[in-house]
């Protein structure tokens, strides 16, 4: 699989030209977005995973080609909900993220990452509703599934599916044992597949 960093953007006028379908990664600062991107692409150093949550303060684009006929762009958003990042800085990210999600970008799917141990929080719930209002497809990724037993994974996943209803997919994922990797790639492929007119 080919994968490479494209650009970081601090303002909408720095966004790259629209092209391949975009898969957006959103979630709290310490939820494992960089690790998930690296695991999905098989490139360990593609997205920089920091020991200090809140380090990603720009929108980062990565060109990913999992199939010759399906080039994609992975888009990593700044993490939210981390107290060490000043409130005014976090507030400055909102118009940047809204410019991306409310614009004319070819967004195929927004992956909303949630730590499986903490479950659905108010921020995630509000964000999922915001995406639904804008008719943007979303899929919840429950990260750090290896921290729970197999039976606990099943209970948490089933509970969240009931909470969200049928409109949002849910995948439990672990970067340690690649649990959920194939399922998540399937969701990405379905979302990025070209729609037939009519």
């Amino acid at each position: 699989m080919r994968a490479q960093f494209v650009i970081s953007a601090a303002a909408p006028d720095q966004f790259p030209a629209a092209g391949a379908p975009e898969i957006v990664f959103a979630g709290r600062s310490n939820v494992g977005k960089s690790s998930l991107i690296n695991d999905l692409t098989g490139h360990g150093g593609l997205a920089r995973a920091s020991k200090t949550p809140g380090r990603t303060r720009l929108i980062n684009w990565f060109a990913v080609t999992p199939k010759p006929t399906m080039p994609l762009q992975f888009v990593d958003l700044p993490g939210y909900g981390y107290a060490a990042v000043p409130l005014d800085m976090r507030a400055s990210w909102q118009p940047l993220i809204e410019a991306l999600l409310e614009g004319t970008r070819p967004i195929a799917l927004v992956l909303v990452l949630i730590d499986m141990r903490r479950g659905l929080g108010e921020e995630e719930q509000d964000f999922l509703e915001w995406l639904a209002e804008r008719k943007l497809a979303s899929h919840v990724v429950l990260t750090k599934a290896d921290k729970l037993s197999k039976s606990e994974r099943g209970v948490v996943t089933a509970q969240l599916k009931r909470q969200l209803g049928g409109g949002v997919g849910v995948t439990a994922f672990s970067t340690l044992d690649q649990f959920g990797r194939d399922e998540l790639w399937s969701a990405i492929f379905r979302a990025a597949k070209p729609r037939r007119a009519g």
Side-chain angles (χ1 to χ4, degrees):
M1 181 186 304
R2 288 185 298 156
Q4 63 182 25
F5 171 76
V6 176
I7 196 172
S8 294
D13 61 4
Q14 297 173 356
F15 292 173
E22 295 182 342
I23 309 299
V24 177
F25 292 72
R28 289 177 174 265
S29 299
N30 57 349
V31 78
K33 289 188 282 88
S34 297
S35 297
L36 177 60
I37 291 171
N38 292 339
D39 185 83
L40 286 174
T41 62
H43 290 251
L46 184 65
R48 294 183 180 179
S50 173
K51 292 181 180 178
T52 304
R55 181 177 180 182
T56 301
R57 301 181 181 187
L58 306 169
I59 298 180
N60 297 306
W61 271 262
F62 305 90
V64 179
T65 310
K67 297 180 179 180
T69 58
M70 189 178 285
L72 301 172
Q73 295 271 349
F74 279 7
V75 186
D76 186 13
L77 299 184
Y80 56 82
Y82 187 64
V85 178
L87 283 173
D88 58 344
M89 179 174 286
R90 276 187 274 167
S92 73
W93 294 341
Q94 186 171 345
L96 180 66
I97 292 171
E98 289 181 356
L100 174 81
L101 296 176
E102 293 188 317
T104 57
R105 308 292 306 182
I107 295 171
L109 185 65
V110 180
L111 298 178
V112 180
L113 280 64
I114 298 173
D115 187 325
M116 196 168 199
R117 299 166 298 178
R118 47 178 310 278
L120 184 68
E122 184 177 348
E123 285 177 300
E124 291 91 354
Q125 181 68 61
D126 289 346
F127 185 52
L128 286 166
E129 291 174 0
W130 188 88
L131 293 171
E133 289 170 1
R134 286 151 183 80
K135 294 181 169 44
L136 289 169
S138 59
H139 189 101
V140 169
V141 183
L142 294 170
T143 62
K144 307 183 183 181
D146 52 277
K147 304 294 186 183
L148 280 70
S149 67
K150 287 186 178 180
S151 60
E152 288 172 328
R153 294 177 191 178
V155 170
V156 173
T157 303
Q159 181 180 21
L160 186 56
K161 285 181 177 178
R162 287 194 298 271
Q163 277 184 272
L164 297 175
V168 179
V170 179
T171 298
F173 194 95
S174 167
T175 56
L176 288 184
D177 54 17
Q178 297 190 332
F179 180 84
R181 189 175 192 270
D182 291 343
E183 180 183 335
L184 187 52
W185 265 121
S186 294
I188 291 171
F189 288 146
R190 285 194 302 272
K193 188 177 180 180
R195 271 69 168 175
R196 292 182 179 178

